[in-house]
């Protein structure tokens, strides 16, 4: 979809595979921001004003297809109620001229309601629900298990007209 210029309004990328999370973030940014990244791309770490983010998202991009805002490891569990309301409003009513990316490589949380091992997931779940309703994309990018890796190798070999046993694939 990115190659064809179709973007989700909001992306929520998280998991334990930091390399791929960064790769996909860069892919989205490079595809959406076609010119003047110094103007059309804004990246924020933990300390920012959510109203500023809202304002940036609705500004018209300069000579670019889209504006892009990347929020790096923004810990939603520590957000106050009024900021959370603004964030939910941002993802519920996304901008037509911008892409918002929530990128998580070091903040730990779970989007599963029943996961008691992760504390304070309520805000993450609330934002994720609003994001999904608005047509956003949530991607949990984790390391492949050994079983998944073996299946990927075996099926990839078959698509290429080769045959490889699961035991051999396991050694690769």
């Amino acid at each position: 979809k990115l190659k064809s210029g179709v973007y989700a309004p909001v992306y929520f990328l998280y998991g334990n595979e930091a390399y791929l999370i960064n790769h996909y973030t860069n892919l989205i940014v490079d595809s959406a921001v076609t010119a003047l990244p110094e103007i059309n791309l804004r990246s924020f770490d933990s300390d920012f004003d959510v109203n500023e983010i809202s304002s940036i998202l609705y500004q018209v991009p300069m000579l670019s297809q889209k504006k892009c805002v990347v929020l790096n490891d923004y810990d939603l569990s520590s957000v106050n109620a009024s900021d959370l309301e603004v964030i939910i409003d941002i993802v519920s009513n996304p901008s037509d001229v911008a892409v918002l990316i929530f990128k998580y490589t070091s903040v730990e949380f779970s989007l599963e309601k029943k996961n008691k091992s992760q504390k304070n997931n309520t805000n993450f779940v609330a934002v994720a629900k609003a994001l999904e309703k608005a047509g956003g994309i949530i991607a949990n990018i984790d390391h492949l298990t050994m079983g998944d890796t073996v299946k990927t190798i075996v099926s990839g070999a078959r698509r290429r007209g080769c045959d490889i046993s699961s035991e051999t694939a396991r050694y690769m």
Side-chain angles (χ1 to χ4, degrees):
K1 288 184 176 184
L2 293 176
K3 288 180 182 179
S4 66
V6 177
Y7 307 96
V10 185
Y11 292 87
F12 196 94
L13 308 176
Y14 71 103
N16 58 23
E17 185 58 75
Y19 171 80
L20 287 176
I21 292 168
N22 289 324
H23 171 75
Y24 288 121
T25 300
N26 292 336
L27 193 65
I28 295 164
V29 167
D30 292 344
S31 176
V33 179
T34 54
L36 300 173
E38 57 276 2
I39 296 171
N40 294 312
L41 171 62
R42 296 291 305 269
S43 185
F44 295 91
D45 292 321
S46 59
D47 205 18
F48 57 85
D49 179 10
V50 293
N51 292 308
E52 179 185 1
I53 300 299
S54 181
S55 173
I56 292 168
L57 288 168
Y58 288 97
Q59 294 172 359
V60 177
M62 293 288 264
L63 304 173
S64 178
Q65 187 170 1
K66 299 269 186 182
K67 277 185 106 59
C68 193
V69 174
V70 180
L71 303 181
N72 296 297
D73 289 317
Y74 183 48
D75 191 357
L76 292 167
S77 64
S78 61
V79 172
N80 64 46
S82 64
D83 283 353
L84 180 63
E85 190 176 313
V86 172
I87 292 166
I88 290 174
D89 184 56
I90 289 170
V91 299
S92 297
N93 305 299
S95 168
D96 292 336
V97 296
V99 174
L100 174 61
I101 303 170
F102 289 87
K103 181 181 99 169
Y104 292 97
T105 56
S106 63
V107 174
E108 292 187 26
F109 61 91
S110 173
L111 294 180
E112 298 175 24
K113 293 179 192 175
K114 296 179 181 179
N115 190 339
K116 304 287 185 199
S117 65
Q118 300 289 331
K119 59 183 180 183
N120 299 325
N121 290 323
T122 315
N123 292 354
F124 285 100
V125 171
V127 170
K129 279 184 179 179
L131 188 148
E132 275 186 315
K133 284 182 183 176
I137 293 178
I138 299 173
N140 182 1
I141 304 170
D142 282 334
H143 297 291
L144 289 176
T145 64
M146 177 60 83
D148 290 339
T149 303
V150 168
K151 286 178 188 175
T152 301
I153 292 170
V154 170
S155 67
R158 282 196 188 120
R159 279 195 312 272
R160 292 169 179 83
C162 301
D163 190 33
I164 186 170
S165 70
S166 295
E167 294 78 29
T168 304
R170 205 176 303 282
Y171 288 108
M172 295 179 81

